[in-house]
Amino acid sequence: MSNHLRGWLLVALALCLALAGCAREQDEAALREAVSSLETAIEQRDASAVEDALTPDFIGPDGLDRDGARRLAALVFLRHREVAVRPGPLTVEMGDGHARVDFSAVVTGGAGRALPEAARIYGVRTAWRVEDGEWRLVSAEWSPGV
């Protein structure tokens, strides 16, 4: 193989790697935006928007399904006039059309008061996948005391 051809192949390979890196960065940015949109839906007390962020086969703690998650969100919104989510830094692991996002979070109600049943920092582990071009939440687990 000539040096000229080898040079072109190296340039083409570098370009492909750069484009793949850009696509991964765009996917991660879109995923982070989906996480942020879910946070906004919670803070706006919009149970329907919370449900829309979940896949039809969503599964949460103790077998919580998509409808159960919507009902749980609606109950929290009825009990607390204001709800805010304060997530810590996101740890993102990207796959091909799926991802895992882990973080810690504090949920507050009212003017910064911690919700009675959520008075601790929670460790949250979520799984996401792309459906119809959008990131949607497949599963979520949370546990107190991280």
Side-chain angles (χ1 to χ4, degrees):
M1 181 180 301
S2 73
N3 285 341
H4 183 68
L5 181 58
R6 187 173 303 142
W8 277 106
L9 286 174
L10 288 174
V11 168
L13 178 61
L15 182 59
C16 288
L17 290 173
L19 289 175
C22 289
R24 179 166 280 131
E25 288 173 15
Q26 290 173 346
D27 282 347
E28 184 172 334
L31 174 60
R32 287 177 180 274
E33 179 59 33
V35 173
S36 179
S37 293
L38 181 56
E39 176 187 346
T40 299
I42 292 168
E43 290 183 350
Q44 291 177 348
R45 301 165 32 109
D46 188 343
S48 293
V50 170
E51 181 181 30
D52 290 344
L54 310 178
T55 61
D57 59 341
F58 171 81
I59 188 75
D62 300 321
L64 183 71
D65 64 5
R66 184 178 191 218
D67 185 57
R70 180 194 50 77
R71 287 185 282 128
L72 176 61
L75 177 64
V76 169
F77 302 155
L78 283 173
R79 291 179 68 194
H80 301 280
R81 199 175 55 124
E82 295 179 39
V83 178
V85 178
R86 303 290 180 240
L90 305 181
T91 301
V92 178
E93 292 181 23
M94 299 294 297
D96 186 22
H98 58 88
R100 190 172 106 195
V101 180
D102 297 341
F103 55 95
S104 59
V106 174
V107 179
T108 61
R113 295 175 302 134
L115 294 171
E117 61 273 3
R120 294 182 235 165
I121 295 175
Y122 282 78
V124 182
R125 171 173 278 183
T126 61
W128 297 75
R129 76 171 171 246
V130 176
E131 285 191 354
D132 299 324
E134 294 190 27
W135 286 101
R136 297 186 58 207
L137 185 60
V138 176
S139 67
E141 300 174 15
W142 54 87
S143 58
V146 292

